[in-house]
Amino acid sequence: MLVGYLLVMGCLALGLRLLRPGARRPVPAPPGERGWPALIRKVAGTAVGGYLLLMAVVVGYYQGVARVGGHFLASAFTGCALLIGTALPVLLAASWLAERRARASRSVRRRRG
C-alpha cells in the first residue's frame, strides 16, 4: 500500500512540476508526424501500452498476491480487451478534438500577432 501511495504521489508531483510556469513546453511534432496516420499511431500505441500495463498489474496481483488463476485470468484478459476496444474509439475522438482545438487556438494567436 505504501509503494502504491508513493507511486501515485510521485506521479502527481511530476505532473505539477511540468505544469509550473517556466517549465519546458512540449516540442511540436515535425510536419511529417501530423494528420490522421500519426494520430491513429499515437492512440493505438497508447491503447496497446495501457492494455499491456493493465494486464501486468492484473497478472501480478492475482498470481502473486491473491493466488487466483485459471478461468479468472482468462476472463480478465478478454474483459480488459473488451474495455480497450470500447474505449479506443472514444479516445481517438477525444484526441482528434483536442488536436483540432489546439490547432484552432494556434491559428487565432497567429492572426492576433
Side-chain angles (χ1 to χ4, degrees):
M1 193 175 202
L2 177 65
V3 172
Y5 175 79
L6 291 175
L7 284 172
V8 168
M9 290 300 124
C11 289
L12 289 174
L14 180 65
L16 286 173
R17 185 177 176 119
L18 290 174
L19 289 175
R20 192 178 68 216
R24 291 183 48 197
R25 297 287 178 219
V27 178
E33 290 292 320
R34 293 185 180 166
W36 279 102
L39 179 62
I40 291 172
R41 264 193 314 275
K42 258 188 197 178
V43 171
T46 301
V48 168
Y51 179 76
L52 293 175
L53 180 63
L54 180 61
M55 286 299 95
V57 169
V58 166
V59 168
Y61 177 76
Y62 285 107
Q63 287 290 329
V65 177
R67 305 269 188 229
V68 176
H71 295 294
F72 180 80
L73 282 178
S75 176
F77 272 89
T78 56
C80 291
L82 179 65
L83 173 70
I84 296 295
T86 336
L88 192 59
V90 175
L91 180 62
L92 184 62
S95 298
W96 176 73
L97 285 173
E99 286 293 320
R100 187 173 175 203
R101 288 183 74 194
R103 196 174 306 135
S105 175
R106 282 192 301 265
S107 69
V108 167
R109 273 190 255 133
R110 284 184 193 143
R111 281 188 228 142
R112 289 183 183 167

